[in-house]
């Protein structure tokens, strides 16, 4: 497994593959868990070469967010990736990705970039779109792998690929959950044992939202939002940011309860800001993630 730290080296590595060889890219911020590894396994199964990037992208963090304390353990990440049979890990520094003369950003616009996560984290999707375009340009993968857990990120990247005519296939993998339903996340490591127990409130709220949907198909989304909010309000260690019913493609709020729909939730538990979602597909089936055994 090659560990690559510079843009030049990454380009050289990619140029070493014969024309037509398939390369898959899995972008991450590291501190890997089974959710990340589910993407890596799929990438290894579908491509001749697999690159995993590990980069805590400073420009997608707000001034008062957790950039400095974001968890990192590169030696462990490299061991995990080596065991999966990954061919290269791209671990650039921030200065390598954003040298002093850097001035060009990708700015997604409209509700998709400004609502939900975009409203709580101004500039977040500009940072995400910019780094993902850079990674796609550098690695030139046939396929890139993302998790449904970050549903709005998926929608923003789909728009990026369509709008800028990027020659890449996006593969979206279901959310992997802990046995008690909590979506796996590097940020779960911020939680105390008590906070960790409370953090299942996001999953419980989504289940309540799904039940409300099944009960009140003809009512407006407010009933579902209420059902989700009430569950979060019952957990003293949690503070709700939003609990919404949105169009999974545009992230506009839904006025009528019709599939496709996304139940999306964000809440603070202790010092961690956690997000999660359930997707009601156009065919009326649910994508609620996979509980690890
Ligand atoms: P991150 O390191 O948090 O930026 O995540 C890297 C990629 O892994 C993103 O595409 C995430 O959506 C995906 N991911 C994170 N958590 C999970 C999870 N629990 N299940 C599936 N994919 C995930």
């Amino acid at each position: 497994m090659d560990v690559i730290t510079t843009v030049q080296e990454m380009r050289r590595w990619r140029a070493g593959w014969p024309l037509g060889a398939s390369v898959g890219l899995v972008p991450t911020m590291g501190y890997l868990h089974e959710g990340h590894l589910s993407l890596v396994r799929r990438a290894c199964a579908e491509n001749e070469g697999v690159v995993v990037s590990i980069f805590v992208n400073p420009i997608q963090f707000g001034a008062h967010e957790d950039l400095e304390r974001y968890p990192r353990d590169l030696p462990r990440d490299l061991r995990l990736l080596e065991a999966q049979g990954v061919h290269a890990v791209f671990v650039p520094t921030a200065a390598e990705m954003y040298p002093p003369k850097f001035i060009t950003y990708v700015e997604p616009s409209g509700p998709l970039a400004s609502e939900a996560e975009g409203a709580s984290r101004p500039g977040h999707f500009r940072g995400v779109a910019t780094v993902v375009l850079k990674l796609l340009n550098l690695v030139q993968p046939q396929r890139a792998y993302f998790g449904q857990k970050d549903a709005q990120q998926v929608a923003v990247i789909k728009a990026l690929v369509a709008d800028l005519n990027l020659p890449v296939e996006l593969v979206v993998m279901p959310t992997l959950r802990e046995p008690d339903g909590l979506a796996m996340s590097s940020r779960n490591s911020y939680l105390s044992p008590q906070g960790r127990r409370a953090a299942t409130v996001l999953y419980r709220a989504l289940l309540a939202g799904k039940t409300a949907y099944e009960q009140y198909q003809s009512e407006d989304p407010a009933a579902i939002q209420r059902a989700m909010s009430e569950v979060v309000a019952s957990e003293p260690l949690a503070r709700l940011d939003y609990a919404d019913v949105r169009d999974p493609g545009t992230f506009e709020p839904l006025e009528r309860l019709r599939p496709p729909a996304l139940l999306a939730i964000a809440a603070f538990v202790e010092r961690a800001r956690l997000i999660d979602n359930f997707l009601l597909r156009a065919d009326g089936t649910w994508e609620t993630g996979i509980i690890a055994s």
Side-chain angles (χ1 to χ4, degrees):
M1 188 173 78
D2 297 314
V3 179
I4 298 172
T5 56
T6 67
V7 162
Q8 195 189 17
E9 227 183 313
M10 188 67 247
R11 278 201 193 290
R12 209 178 303 127
W13 185 93
R14 183 62 177 95
W17 286 81
L19 213 66
S22 62
V23 169
L25 169 67
V26 185
T28 82
M29 299 204 299
Y31 210 70
L32 302 177
H33 51 66
E34 277 298 315
H36 295 116
L37 295 181
S38 71
L39 273 57
V40 171
R41 282 191 196 100
R42 173 81 176 262
C44 289
E46 291 182 342
N47 301 279
E48 287 156 81
V50 171
V51 180
V52 175
S53 60
I54 298 180
F55 181 55
V56 183
N57 177 31
I59 68 167
Q60 72 185 64
F61 285 76
H64 305 291
E65 293 185 358
D66 56 344
L67 174 62
E68 296 309 326
R69 65 190 173 103
Y70 195 84
R72 294 162 168 89
D73 188 346
L74 186 60
R76 178 174 174 275
D77 288 349
L78 295 179
R79 279 197 305 276
L80 290 170
L81 295 175
E82 176 112 57
Q84 295 297 329
V86 164
H87 302 83
V89 185
F90 182 47
V91 200
T93 60
E96 182 70 14
M97 291 295 269
Y98 306 111
K101 287 185 177 158
F102 187 92
I103 54 167
T104 309
Y105 296 84
V106 181
E107 182 95 53
S109 61
L112 187 47
S114 63
E115 300 216 355
E117 284 304 283
S120 295
R121 308 185 65 188
H124 174 65
F125 290 117
R126 175 191 201 239
V128 168
T130 301
V131 80
V132 169
L133 181 61
K134 282 171 70 72
L135 291 170
L136 292 173
N137 280 337
L138 274 171
V139 177
Q140 299 189 21
Q142 270 79 1
R143 301 186 188 87
Y145 296 80
F146 296 91
Q148 174 61 25
K149 181 181 160 273
D150 297 283
Q152 196 167 359
Q153 171 170 283
V154 165
V156 165
I157 293 166
K158 280 184 179 166
L160 171 79
V161 165
D163 293 349
L164 302 185
N165 312 112
L166 304 179
V168 65
E169 178 193 334
L170 299 179
V171 181
V172 181
M173 298 291 289
T175 301
L176 214 70
R177 302 181 177 284
E178 301 287 355
D180 62 6
L182 175 65
M184 290 181 188
S185 165
S186 308
R187 290 189 167 98
N188 294 347
S189 65
Y190 297 148
L191 299 166
S192 72
Q194 216 183 358
R196 169 64 188 77
R197 282 191 295 276
T200 59
V201 75
L202 282 87
Y203 181 62
R204 289 185 273 124
L206 289 168
L207 287 173
K210 176 172 179 283
T211 303
Y213 172 83
E214 283 157 357
Q215 257 170 354
Y216 308 118
Q217 294 233 2
S218 61
E219 291 192 14
D220 76 310
I224 294 173
Q225 284 169 302
R226 220 168 20 246
M228 292 196 282
S229 311
E230 279 169 11
V231 174
V232 178
S234 73
E235 176 50 71
L237 289 184
R239 180 167 60 82
L240 185 69
D241 184 350
Y242 61 78
D244 288 341
V245 184
R246 292 186 176 270
D247 180 307
T250 65
F251 265 71
E252 284 172 302
L254 282 191
E255 289 177 7
R256 291 280 208 85
L257 278 185
R258 284 213 204 101
L262 189 82
L263 309 191
I265 189 164
F268 293 90
V269 180
E270 297 176 321
R271 292 200 308 158
R273 183 176 181 281
L274 305 176
I275 60 171
D276 202 347
N277 67 83
F278 281 4
L279 173 67
L280 177 63
R281 301 187 192 92
D283 67 3
T285 61
W286 287 89
E287 168 65 73
T288 62
I290 297 169
I291 302 225
S293 43

